[in-house]
Amino acid sequence: MDPSPKDLPLPLPLSEPALTGLLVLFFILHIVFVNVTVGGGLIALGYQFRALREPAYDQLARSICRIITVTKSLAVVLGVGPLLCINLLYTVPFYSANLLTGAVWILIIPLVTAAFLLLYLHKFSWDRLAQHRGLHITILAAAMAILLFIPLIFLTNINLMLFPEKWRDIHGFFDALMLANVLPRWLHFMLASVSASGLLLAWWTSRPGFSIPGLATTDLRRQGYAIALATSGLQFIAGPLVLMTLPSVGLNLRLHLALILGIVFALPALYWMWREIDAPSALPGPGRRFWWIVASLGLTVLFMATARHLYRDEALALHQARFAIARDAYAERSALARAGGELPPLGPAEPGAVPPISQASSSAGAIAAPTDRGEAVFKLKCRACHVPSKRLVGPPLQEVARIYAGNPEGIAAWVLKPGRKRTEYPPMAPVKLPPDDLKAVAEYVLRVGGSATAAAAPPPVRP
Amino acid sequence: MDFPLFHLAYFGDRTLIAVIAILHVLINHAFAVGFIPLVVVLERQAAARGDAAGDALAKRFMGVAFVLTTTIGALTGVGIWLSTALINPEAIGSLLRVFFWAWFTEWLVFISEVALILAYYLTWDQWTGPRKAAHIRLGWTLAAFSWITMAIIVAILGFMLTPGSWASERGLFSGLLNPTYLPQLAFRTPLALAMAGCVGLALSVLFTERDSDLRHRTVRFCGLWTLVFLPFAAAGLVWWWASVPADLAQNLATALATQQAAAQSYVVLWTLLGLAGIVVAVAALAVIAPRRIGLTLAVIALVATCLELGWFERTREFLRKPWSVPGYLYANRFRAEDYPMLQRDGILAHAAWSPVRQVTAGNRLVAGRTVFDLACATCHTVDGLNGMRAILRTMYGPPPWDADAIAAYIATIHDSRFYMPPFPGNDTEREALGAWLAALGSPLTVAGKAP
């Protein structure tokens, strides 16, 4: 059987439940800003298109892009927290998924950088490109295309890490992307993003002092609610799709309970949104039901994020236990080896396993068993790079003996502080030896090198 | 051993981290840590003079910093993490466990820093008149937070070079208060400020009218700024070098250059000194004769400081070889404490993702390749950077190469090449590795290329 991957042997800095709590909390913070950035970008893009026919909407799109400038940066920094926690809690699954999709995973960095630069270009060129609307919209569309792809990379990883039993069949990102659950989750996420941004729009456009010439703010507020309601409604298709495509390993009662609670809290929000569209409150501000909607959807998000975590916990429970057992067994065996103890066999020897070949059987002028000090030192300190009649890392002893004939002190001096002579060789590193050993090894080199020359043996050639 | 293989066949694994990390450090030092104080001082001077053009210029300076730090800067910061997790998950995973609270604090500071950058730049035109003073205070707060983010991370960098008493105590603070920490901070802070002066020079030339008063004033100020901080950076560097333990310092020649050119590493040293000289000269010229500073000179000075810092990072990273976490984890991702076991059991037997468990007569080359992937591939490629074919050619001349000689060398290589960890596996594995490496020179063994 293949050995199991092992968790790291250092203790966690916080208890597991505490880390889990932080993970869910930080994740929600992060994802809200991501939602608003991605959804807001899409809505802004929509309004920019609309502005081609109804120019007043241009100002609205611009105003939304101002929000994104802030939220996109906060989304990135807030992502560090959950990343920190997931690294600790799910070291083996998370890193394994990252490595299996490595090339695309690391593309997150240049891609998000490019998307952000495009967003700035779009923002800061608004007036300059006023006569080139098509180009200006294209810049935003390019940024959004990237920002739609990035969640797919994350979701692919987060999904892949749940299923260690599938890891061996995954060869790169696209294999992992094709696992059943990824695309439905992406859809679910996108709808949530637009829906959150619709609510934000309703609030943003009904702040005191907000006005755009040619647009009625009550109408904008209504549009915001309409967007939120439509996308939230679609979640009743996307949500079950996610659930149906989830492998059953992680499903359990607690998870279903969390999901049901999430749905229950979403229902009143939908009703209130519909009321706000149908009968907008006459008061200034986002409508008297706004904060109720936010609160109930907030609870929905909390329960959904919890359900997401419960699934992960269940799907990985046995694997995590296996990684911990493997870690402990490995540490125990390692300690035994350090103490010099007898190690029990790891498994049956495979047919044809080769025993280690001893170093003495090497070719190129084998040297007989050490009889004197010089030879012993040579074998230990020089033999890896020098042999009598052949180039290894260093020149053959023959050549050395010719250069230093009758001059063992020269060799000793070289060994302590080698110069740089042969550019086709790497440099020799100094070897620290006591004077006696130096003298002995130098004499040995001269002796062996000299006799090899005398024998004038042709250098042995290996097949 | 516990993770699937991720390997960049041409650029090499270390290059990925190096590119991302150096980009991050350059932006962080030159456009945030050092630059924000400079912008705030410019803003304050302009406010004191009631100089609208000066204020607008300071804002444009900040605009550049804003765009760069919130895009490339922020994302390469995350990128260092993602890339190290790909290349050496054991190292980053261990560091995260040891330094969780440092990283956590770092995160909070980082959030504040980003929020402050957004606030400082985006409120520039709103907080005017009586609120200008508050805006300037906001700038100083931002400057403080950027410095703190750097100060925390440098503690971890210092730890990776010299873990101090951590090896025995394994606590957060014994790790943080490591011997090279303060010296490194004392070097980076003034260097970042000096670099920012060079950025300021280039931007002044870009953003102001030739021969205008504003240009001369700003150029002179940025030149002076650089001149003031550069000597402190030099002193910090000397202090840092003095605090690097001798056994690591012996890697210096190779760290500065490459092993093949180690004997010529003094050339690099003189080049770096020369570059510093250029920066001083340009900065002095900016003070004495600001009208003589054009974009070319400013950019030369900026590039020179970037090269200095880049080279420092490379050298610092190299000095800690063969370790990732000194005394604990080698750069080849094996823990030192497990060596006695691994050298008996072999590494293949414990490697979750290896296609083979043991070396057999039939799988020698596959086993050799796998051993290479596990034990050498974090630092070597086959044909790319630090590639084995080229290395073997330098060592042994043109093929055929002798498998036994290579295997024998691998057994002792760490004695003469201090930057390489000892071979972690057992003798059979070493011989399989030798056979595979020798096969790289043979036209008959296509297995050399695959899998």
Side-chain angles (χ1 to χ4, degrees), chain B residues 230-360:
Chain B
L230 217 49
F232 289 100
L237 184 61
V238 171
W239 184 21
W240 177 77
W241 179 245
S243 70
V244 172
D247 56 328
L248 298 179
Q250 64 189 348
N251 278 342
L252 181 67
T254 315
L256 281 171
T258 68
Q259 171 176 292
Q260 206 46 18
Q264 283 86 39
S265 63
Y266 62 90
V267 177
V268 178
L269 221 50
W270 282 112
T271 312
L272 292 176
L273 267 177
L275 288 173
I278 291 177
V279 178
V280 172
V282 172
L285 188 66
V287 175
I288 303 164
R291 71 187 65 232
R292 305 283 290 276
I293 297 291
L295 191 59
T296 325
L297 276 183
V299 167
I300 287 177
L302 178 58
V303 170
T305 52
C306 289
L307 286 175
E308 301 268 3
L309 179 58
W311 219 267
F312 169 77
E313 300 299 349
R314 178 203 141 91
T315 308
R316 180 186 54 73
E317 280 292 305
F318 197 98
L319 285 181
R320 73 184 160 79
K321 297 214 153 39
W323 299 101
S324 273
V325 181
Y328 178 70
L329 185 76
Y330 282 113
N332 60 14
R333 303 164 54 178
F334 292 96
R335 277 178 293 275
E337 60 186 24
D338 298 331
Y339 261 60
M341 169 180 64
L342 293 171
Q343 288 177 336
R344 281 156 75 176
D345 289 346
I347 53 178
L348 295 176
H350 291 286
W353 290 85
S354 164
V356 295
R357 300 265 74 80
Q358 268 174 21
V359 183
T360 64

Side-chain angles (χ1 to χ4, degrees), chain A residues 17-82:
Chain A
L19 272 174
T20 307
L22 290 183
L23 174 59
V24 173
L25 187 72
F26 293 162
F27 173 74
I28 292 177
L29 266 178
H30 163 66
I31 205 68
V32 166
F33 280 91
V34 175
N35 281 334
V36 169
T37 304
V38 174
L42 287 177
I43 292 177
L45 189 60
Y47 280 130
Q48 259 205 304
F49 268 112
R50 191 160 175 184
L52 292 175
R53 293 223 197 92
E54 301 165 70
Y57 280 102
D58 196 54
Q59 274 307 313
L60 179 61
R62 190 169 189 168
S63 178
I64 298 173
C65 285
R66 219 167 278 147
I67 312 180
I68 301 174
T69 304
V70 174
T71 55
K72 62 134 187 37
S73 283
L74 291 174
V76 168
V77 278
L78 288 170
V80 171

Side-chain angles (χ1 to χ4, degrees), chain A residues 245-429:
Chain A
T245 51
L246 269 177
S248 60
V249 279
L251 299 175
N252 62 17
L253 193 65
R254 286 187 306 163
L255 168 116
H256 282 108
L257 205 64
L259 282 180
I260 290 168
L261 280 173
I263 295 166
V264 164
F265 280 105
L267 291 173
L270 293 183
Y271 172 73
W272 288 322
M273 282 191 233
W274 180 68
R275 292 296 314 232
E276 281 297 339
I277 299 169
D278 189 42
S281 83
L283 303 166
R288 65 191 161 79
R289 303 177 190 88
F290 179 78
W291 293 110
W292 285 106
I293 297 174
V294 170
S296 81
L297 283 185
L299 285 171
T300 302
V301 169
L302 184 66
F303 282 112
M304 291 294 169
T306 308
R308 183 173 172 277
H309 180 79
L310 289 173
Y311 183 86
R312 174 151 67 209
D313 212 36
E314 179 81 16
L316 281 173
L318 285 177
H319 293 287
Q320 289 280 79
R322 174 166 68 99
F323 303 148
I325 291 170
R327 169 198 65 201
D328 294 341
Y330 182 83
E332 205 175 298
R333 189 175 173 87
S334 177
L336 191 60
R338 274 199 298 286
E342 183 78 14
L343 296 181
L346 273 171
E350 287 170 31
V354 251
I357 306 164
S358 79
Q359 282 190 29
S361 70
S362 298
S363 65
I367 296 159
T371 50
D372 66 69
R373 174 128 208 94
E375 184 173 352
V377 174
F378 185 85
K379 283 205 129 171
L380 206 62
K381 296 286 180 184
C382 326
R383 166 66 185 68
C385 302
H386 296 284
V387 287
S389 54
K390 191 184 150 180
R391 169 182 178 168
L392 276 192
V393 183
L397 297 185
Q398 281 175 333
E399 183 182 327
V400 173
R402 224 179 302 124
I403 299 173
Y404 289 96
N407 178 16
E409 299 78 21
I411 296 187
W414 168 274
V415 167
L416 286 178
K417 199 170 184 305
R420 192 79 178 89
K421 275 195 182 169
R422 303 163 182 79
T423 46
E424 74 282 13
Y425 284 69
M428 175 173 150

